[in-house]
Amino acid sequence: MRVARLRRSDLSRCAELEQVLFPGDDPWSRAAFAAELDMGHYYIGAYDAGENLLGYAGLAVVGRPPDADAEVHTIGVDPEHQRKGIGRMLLKALLTRADQLRAAVFLEVRTDNDAAIELYRRHGFEIVGLRRRYYQPSGADAHTMRRAAPTAAALSTVEESR
């Protein structure tokens, strides 16, 4: 399996997966994914040996270092391939990109998505807020989570370990 920049040819598949993954919460369309790429946001895909898209993730960055902030816009994994580390791999790739920009990272996650909340906590996120009725049309609440920007010392330690 490999992680690479999301291909435009995979946007319809992303929209199909959205329908499966988020049926009650206004899943993204192909056009929404295309708009994200057109805006220059960082979108990646997880591909198997046959180059089939198994998952996708996106990160938007606002500002420039050292004042940059990043926001995870989406992470989705084909249900047939969940619980195999693909979501974790995608998240790590997004966080590596954010770390390169020395950006703090924010995201929203459904308050009832315990597996995702635990994944984010293991990667340094903490809950910093609550957005009531954030997801529509279901009206589900979301936690806002934040991961601090890496310090210069932390970045040099990571670089030395590579």
Side-chain angles (χ1 to χ4, degrees):
M1 177 156 353
R2 71 181 186 94
V3 173
R5 291 298 289 254
L6 188 65
R7 305 174 298 213
R8 283 194 180 270
S9 60
D10 289 321
L11 299 185
S12 293
R13 178 66 178 141
C14 290
E16 289 171 12
L17 287 171
E18 284 276 309
Q19 293 290 326
V20 172
L21 295 168
F22 311 110
D25 286 319
D26 194 22
W28 286 19
S29 65
R30 184 194 184 288
F33 280 101
E36 290 289 302
L37 293 182
D38 291 345
M39 287 186 277
H41 296 312
Y42 182 71
Y43 273 71
I44 54 177
Y47 298 93
D48 67 12
E51 291 300 304
N52 298 300
L53 181 72
L54 305 180
Y56 55 89
L59 184 78
V61 178
V62 177
R64 296 181 186 270
D67 300 315
D69 282 330
E71 182 177 6
V72 175
H73 278 185
T74 189
I75 297 178
V77 176
D78 183 328
E80 292 182 23
H81 298 280
Q82 291 177 355
R83 303 277 186 223
K84 297 178 182 177
I86 296 170
R88 181 176 55 251
M89 186 170 48
L90 290 166
L91 177 62
K92 283 182 177 183
L94 294 182
L95 295 177
T96 296
R97 176 74 176 139
D99 287 352
Q100 292 167 347
L101 300 169
R102 298 187 309 272
V105 183
F106 294 84
L107 59 81
E108 275 77 34
V109 59
R110 283 179 66 117
T111 57
D112 61 357
N113 191 342
D114 295 332
I117 292 166
E118 183 56 32
L119 172 67
Y120 298 140
R121 283 190 167 142
R122 284 194 311 262
H123 286 87
F125 285 85
E126 62 182 345
I127 295 171
V128 296
L130 177 68
R131 292 184 173 214
R132 297 218 180 269
R133 302 188 55 74
Y134 179 77
Y135 292 100
Q136 295 299 320
S138 72
D141 294 341
H143 288 304
T144 298
M145 297 185 79
R146 179 181 184 273
R147 178 180 174 263
T151 64
L155 284 175
S156 62
T157 301
V158 169
E159 288 301 317
E160 289 171 8
S161 68
R162 287 185 185 178

